[in-house]
Structure formats: structure tokens, C-alpha cells
Amino acid sequence: EPEVTQTPSHQVTQMGQEVILRCVPISNHLYFYWYRQILGQKVEFLVSFYNNEISEKSEIFDDQFSVERPDGSNFTLKIRSTKLEDSAMYFCASSVVAGKNIQYFGAGTRLSVL
Amino acid sequence: AQKITQTQPGMFVQEKEAVTLDCTYDTSDPSYGLFWYKQPSSGEMIFLIYQGSYDQQNATEGRYSLNFQKARKSANLVISASQLGDSAMYFCAMRGTNTGNQFYFGTGTSLTVIP
């Protein structure tokens, strides 16, 4: 069964460093998303991406964040200068455009900022 | 704005019994979708079931069913014949058709199945 894959599963970084989280969405999906979940809290939307551009973003997704689809398969989230409060689980998801638009999530990347 | 409320932070159920996890929502969108996800201790988010706001019948997927009461704005998840592997966090989520494709999640319910 096709699935969304995310790498790495755990990323440890120093405050102020740049990190790139990687995702390979399901191959025939056209909509891609990033969400985050701070430990013990609910899942929060960051950004959605369609047709090679951002279609929606939340207030959390400030200038420190960027997304890119560098090739035909990968979808990346970059945090330019990490802060302690960026520590969270980051989920990538993808969906087909039409119909129920069920979003399928990857297993997540746990980001720890020290 | 969309809002999802899950009022049960933790639930316990005996193995083989049925359990209902509550979810209420608030939206001004005329059309929307409701979703339930399971998050085991390993952390991944697993899609369980979907209900469209215009669907006439309650959704069912194997042991999962959704008790959708539109007038009450509730979309409770019913798990029948609970298994030990059902122990996990369960999140209710909503997507409104007038508010793009982003999901709004509730705070989750932690379900523990007791042998």
C-alpha cells in the first residue's frame, strides 16, 4: 500500500541552525501539507502546497519556514534558524485534489532543538 | 473559523467491548468533511474513517463507525469489539470546503484497552 515517507525520523539540532525535513508524498497525490505537533498538544496546520506553490499557510508559518518540491518526488520543509520552541513532531501529508480529499500522513520527524 | 472539541482526555475500555469517543465541531461552512485518525505510541497518524456533511448514512469502516448527528454538530467514533492494539490517541479533524484544504484537529482522546 502506498505511503508517505519522512526522513529523518529524529533530528537533533542546535538553536540557530538550519534544518531540512524531507518527505516523499504518495506518487499520484497533488496536494502536500506540513503539520506540527508539540509534545502533548494537538496537531497544527503549517502549510499546504499545490501546483508548485503555497496555497495556504498558517500564522505559525513565518519567514523562518519555507517549503520546496525540488524534484518530482520530494517535498521539503526548511526551518532557517531553529528556536527552542520549534521542537515538535513534524508531519508531512498528501492528498488527491478532488473528492473526499483524505490526507495521508507520514510517520513524522521528531525535531529536537537544543 | 473551524473548531473541533474532544472533551474526553482519557478513556478506558474492556477488551471486546465497544467504546464511543466524542467529537463536536463548529463551522459556518455549508459543506465539510470529518475525519478520525489514530496515533499509536510510535507516533504516526493513521487515517480511520471519513464522513461528509451531506452523506445520508453514517460511515463505517470495519470495526469503526461514525455516529454523525449533524443538527448536534457531533461526529463520535464508535469502536466495536475493542482490541489491545486499539490503545492509542484518537484525533478528530475537520476540513471545511470554504476554508481550503487544511485540517483542524481536536486535542485528542487517549484510549486504553484493558485485557
Side-chain angles (χ1 to χ4, degrees), chain B residues 6-107:
Chain B
Q6 294 180 255
T7 57
Q8 306 156 313
M11 290 282 286
F12 291 87
V13 65
Q14 205 73 40
E15 195 178 5
K16 300 180 185 176
E17 297 292 311
V19 63
T20 298
L21 307 184
D22 294 343
C23 173
T24 58
Y25 61 90
D26 192 19
T27 181
S28 55
D29 281 6
S31 175
Y32 47 89
L34 296 155
F35 306 78
W36 277 91
Y37 286 84
K38 173 183 177 181
Q39 187 179 43
S41 57
S42 49
E44 71 269 31
M45 295 279 286
I46 302 166
F47 166 72
L48 295 178
I49 195 166
Y50 163 86
Q51 178 82 43
S53 59
Y54 286 111
D55 292 344
Q56 295 296 316
Q57 295 192 333
N58 287 341
T60 59
E61 290 284 349
R63 294 186 299 110
Y64 303 109
S65 60
L66 205 151
N67 183 1
F68 180 47
Q69 298 188 47
K70 194 171 183 178
R72 294 185 176 184
K73 294 189 174 180
S74 73
N76 299 337
L77 177 71
V78 180
I79 305 174
S80 63
S82 297
Q83 303 171 355
L84 296 178
D86 294 334
S87 294
M89 282 290 289
Y90 289 81
F91 290 96
C92 180
M94 180 171 71
R95 176 183 57 82
T97 51
N98 288 346
T99 51
N101 288 300
Q102 64 176 284
F103 277 16
Y104 296 85
F105 282 85
T107 51

Side-chain angles (χ1 to χ4, degrees), chain A residues 31 33 35 37 40-45 48 55-58 89 91 95 97 99-108, chain B residues 3-4 33 35 37 39 42-47 49-50 55 61 89 91 95 99-108:
Chain A
Y31 247 109
Y33 313 83
Y35 291 81
Q37 184 183 29
Q41 299 186 22
K42 65 180 176 182
V43 178
E44 301 173 290
F45 170 77
S48 62
S55 56
E56 303 163 77
K57 60 182 181 179
S58 71
M89 181 76 95
F91 289 103
S95 67
V97 177
K100 299 175 183 179
N101 207 11
I102 297 166
Q103 294 181 20
Y104 293 92
F105 285 72
Chain B
K3 186 178 180 183
I4 293 281
F35 306 78
Y37 286 84
Q39 187 179 43
S42 49
E44 71 269 31
M45 295 279 286
I46 302 166
F47 166 72
I49 195 166
Y50 163 86
D55 292 344
E61 290 284 349
M89 282 290 289
F91 290 96
R95 176 183 57 82
T99 51
N101 288 300
Q102 64 176 284
F103 277 16
Y104 296 85
F105 282 85
T107 51

Side-chain angles (χ1 to χ4, degrees), chain A residues 7-48:
Chain A
T7 55
S9 56
H10 191 191
Q11 175 87 48
V12 181
T13 189
Q14 294 288 328
M15 189 170 57
Q17 295 296 305
E18 174 184 287
V19 295
I20 298 176
L21 310 183
R22 291 183 166 79
C23 169
V24 178
I26 295 172
S27 62
N28 65 332
H29 286 186
L30 299 178
Y31 247 109
F32 315 119
Y33 313 83
W34 284 101
Y35 291 81
R36 79 170 185 192
Q37 184 183 29
I38 295 171
L39 188 64
Q41 299 186 22
K42 65 180 176 182
V43 178
E44 301 173 290
F45 170 77
L46 292 177
V47 66
S48 62

